[in-house]
Amino acid sequence: MAAGYHHRSIVWQIAEDYSHCEFLIRLPGYCPMPAFRDVIDVPLVVRRLHKSRKEVRSEMGIGEDVKVVILNFGGQPAGWKLKEEYLPPGWLCLVCGAPEQEFPPNFIKLAKDVYTPDVMAAKDVYTPKVFL
């Protein structure tokens, strides 16, 4: 509540909505979530890699000297366009779940059926769109 002082009504609405859940499956690294009555703590759950970082980068034509960031839209529409100047020289952005749009040369839109764990192994940085 301290962080959401100016947005108190929406914070309370979200807490009220979450309080109707039967339980929360909570992963490590969580922040406090007092709205949930019943909590089940579980370990991290991941899919195994099929290819190494080196194999993925080689198949995509990405050199080891290139820094790779992954941007995940999560299939959500975006009201803005990616621009070449958003990345410093020597960086490449692999974009997951992006809406149809033109991409600058330092941004690559990944196929919807790409095996995400392998792509994640090829990255140096990951960011969901909410942090941009």
Side-chain angles (χ1 to χ4, degrees):
M1 282 304 297
Y5 177 75
H6 296 292
H7 308 285
R8 185 170 293 190
S9 64
I10 190 73
V11 170
W12 280 111
Q13 182 61 56
I14 291 168
E16 167 65 18
D17 292 346
Y18 280 144
S19 73
H20 297 285
C21 294
E22 289 186 35
F23 58 88
L24 165 69
I25 298 175
R26 186 169 60 188
L27 297 169
Y30 63 87
C31 61
M33 295 176 271
F36 294 94
R37 291 169 285 164
D38 192 12
V39 177
I40 301 169
D41 287 318
V42 298
L44 287 176
V45 180
V46 297
R47 293 184 284 170
R48 298 202 184 278
L49 298 178
H50 293 159
K51 299 175 185 170
S52 70
R53 170 187 172 97
K54 190 173 185 173
E55 289 172 310
V56 173
R57 282 178 169 248
S58 176
E59 287 177 9
M60 296 184 80
I62 303 170
E64 284 299 319
D65 60 326
V66 175
K67 295 290 186 191
V68 175
V69 59
I70 295 178
L71 173 61
N72 192 346
F73 277 85
Q76 312 266 334
W80 43 270
K81 291 203 176 272
L82 300 170
K83 297 180 182 176
E84 189 170 353
E85 61 266 19
Y86 287 174
L87 294 176
W91 282 76
L92 177 69
C93 182
L94 305 178
V95 185
C96 300
E100 291 302 321
Q101 63 175 276
E102 294 282 325
F103 286 90
N106 53 348
F107 287 81
I108 297 174
K109 180 180 179 180
L110 298 174
K112 288 185 186 266
D113 63 347
V114 69
Y115 188 66
T116 308
D118 288 348
V119 173
M120 294 300 272
K123 64 145 174 47
D124 294 291
V125 177
Y126 169 77
T127 182
K129 76 171 185 172
V130 296
F131 294 117
L132 289 179

